[in-house]
Amino acid sequence: MSEQRTLSIIKQDATARNVTGSINARFEQADLRIIAQKRICVTKEQAKKFYEIHREKAFYDSICEHMSSGPIVVQVLQGEDAVAKNREIMGATNPANAAIGTIRRDFGQSIEHNAVHGSDSEENAAIEIAFFFNSLELVG
């Protein structure tokens, strides 16, 4: 096991329902430290750039629209095997298929409004973290 960092986004659908603290408690209970965090609004153009890897997929336009529809919380989580641990805590992309007790099962409303985003690999985590944070903002 190794100490890692991963990007976590609490999406607009979850911030609108004021469940940010409840979601963050799940990360902290799993020994993931929040070493950077900010509430921001992204433009549709910024969302398109962030999700560029998915530009050929059917959901690309709708996820970009959703991510730019209100405030989100972007944060960096740090801990042992943070990427895998975060993905386990989040649960399956579709809340209906997510395990009981996962964030998406408990706070997600649909496959698109699934409350959170998390990096899918250590390599993508580095890219995604750099998209939202500079090195001075990572305090861990």
Side-chain angles (χ1 to χ4, degrees):
M1 293 204 279
S2 65
E3 184 88 359
Q4 295 176 340
R5 291 178 175 174
T6 190
L7 183 79
S8 167
I9 299 176
I10 301 176
K11 295 180 180 180
Q12 185 277 340
D13 54 287
T15 64
R17 289 181 288 123
N18 203 31
V19 295
T20 303
S22 298
I23 290 171
N24 280 337
R26 304 276 181 104
F27 298 133
E28 292 176 335
Q29 289 165 358
D31 292 326
L32 291 172
R33 292 179 308 287
I34 301 167
I35 65 164
Q37 181 183 69
K38 53 189 168 184
R39 182 178 300 262
I40 62 172
C41 289
V42 296
T43 66
K44 191 166 184 181
E45 292 73 31
Q46 290 168 321
K48 283 183 173 186
K49 186 173 180 185
F50 180 75
Y51 283 111
E52 190 172 7
I53 192 168
H54 299 299
R55 70 184 170 280
E56 301 299 325
K57 296 182 181 168
F59 62 83
Y60 176 71
D61 285 331
S62 63
I63 196 167
C64 292
E65 187 69 39
H66 175 60
M67 288 296 283
S68 61
S69 67
I72 61 173
V73 174
V74 292
Q75 54 196 12
V76 179
L77 307 176
Q78 182 172 300
E80 290 293 321
D81 294 316
V83 173
K85 188 178 287 187
N86 182 37
R87 295 193 68 75
E88 180 181 331
I89 295 165
M90 288 190 309
T93 302
N94 185 344
N97 299 333
I100 293 171
T102 61
I103 291 170
R104 288 179 172 152
R105 177 67 174 248
D106 294 345
F107 300 105
Q109 298 171 307
S110 68
I111 194 165
E112 188 171 278
H113 296 166
N114 61 11
V116 289
H117 164 88
S119 302
D120 63 1
S121 68
E122 200 168 359
E123 296 76 25
N124 282 339
I127 293 165
E128 292 179 349
I129 290 167
F131 187 89
F132 290 107
F133 295 94
N134 68 53
S135 61
L136 294 176
E137 296 174 298
L138 305 176
V139 205

